Amino acid sequence: MPAALLTAAALAGGPARAADGPDFQYLGQDDRVHGLTAPKGCVEAEGGGARAVTNHTRGTATLYREPGCAGPAVQVLRPGAVTQVRPYFASVRFSVTG
């Protein structure tokens, strides 16, 4: 299936998500699925984050329009969140969890 046709539900993987899968996943503006495992701090959104986003981390993921987690936040995703983000985000700051 082309990446452009994936939905937020498909990215989430539902309850059967593999334990070794990415902790944070999104469909980029490049129409590719990008995944991060154990992300920390500020991370650039390779491919330009857009569309479906899934946060399986144990903390919040704050999306920013600018690189380097600069400027106002676009959206804050709680752990377990699956949502659509429009038009895009360029970086994500992951909260520190204990």
Side-chain angles (χ1 to χ4, degrees), residues 14-25:
R17 185 179 75 89
D20 61 348
D23 297 317
F24 184 82
Q25 197 168 353

Side-chain angles (χ1 to χ4, degrees), residues 59-97:
T60 59
T62 304
L63 311 178
Y64 293 89
R65 186 82 17 106
E66 302 298 324
C69 298
V74 173
Q75 195 164 357
V76 177
L77 304 178
R78 293 180 183 232
V82 178
T83 190
Q84 297 287 317
V85 175
R86 297 277 187 193
Y88 67 92
F89 60 97
S91 57
V92 184
R93 178 167 305 283
F94 296 93
S95 66
V96 177
T97 58

Side-chain angles (χ1 to χ4, degrees), residues 24-46:
F24 184 82
Q25 197 168 353
Y26 62 92
L27 182 59
Q29 293 173 329
D30 59 1
D31 289 330
R32 294 181 55 207
V33 176
H34 298 272
L36 302 170
T37 301
K40 295 178 184 174
C42 181
V43 178
E44 301 301 311
E46 182 182 336

